Amino acid sequence: MMESTLYLVGVRKDTGEYEEDADSCQLCKKIIINAGIKTVIIKQKEKHKIIDVEEWIRNDDLLEGKITY
């Protein structure tokens, strides 16, 4: 999976709509980083969010004491 692109989509079970602010939790981010994935593309309600995984490494939420799930 080194240098690959991961495509994610969040769909609400109750409405079947795309999740407006879909994102990866800290645990998922760590798994993606450890897998060597380079880019994550997340389908959100109105747009696509393109993430350079290196950005997650440089700006680790845990280093700032933030806990997200």
Side-chain angles (χ1 to χ4, degrees), residues 2-26:
M2 298 299 290
E3 303 291 316
S4 62
T5 299
L6 176 67
Y7 295 86
L8 297 175
V9 63
V11 177
R12 295 186 57 87
K13 186 177 179 181
D14 56 346
T15 65
E17 298 284 326
Y18 289 114
E19 186 62 42
E20 189 169 336
D21 295 321
D23 208 342
S24 298
C25 70
Q26 287 175 333

Side-chain angles (χ1 to χ4, degrees), residues 26-54:
Q26 287 175 333
L27 178 59
C28 292
K29 287 179 182 179
K30 297 299 178 192
I31 292 169
I32 290 167
I33 290 167
N34 289 334
I37 294 169
K38 183 176 181 174
T39 306
V40 177
I41 300 174
I42 302 174
K43 170 70 173 133
Q44 295 178 328
K45 190 171 185 175
E46 300 285 330
K47 61 187 183 245
H48 290 83
K49 181 177 181 179
I50 301 172
I51 299 162
D52 178 2
V53 174
E54 281 290 322

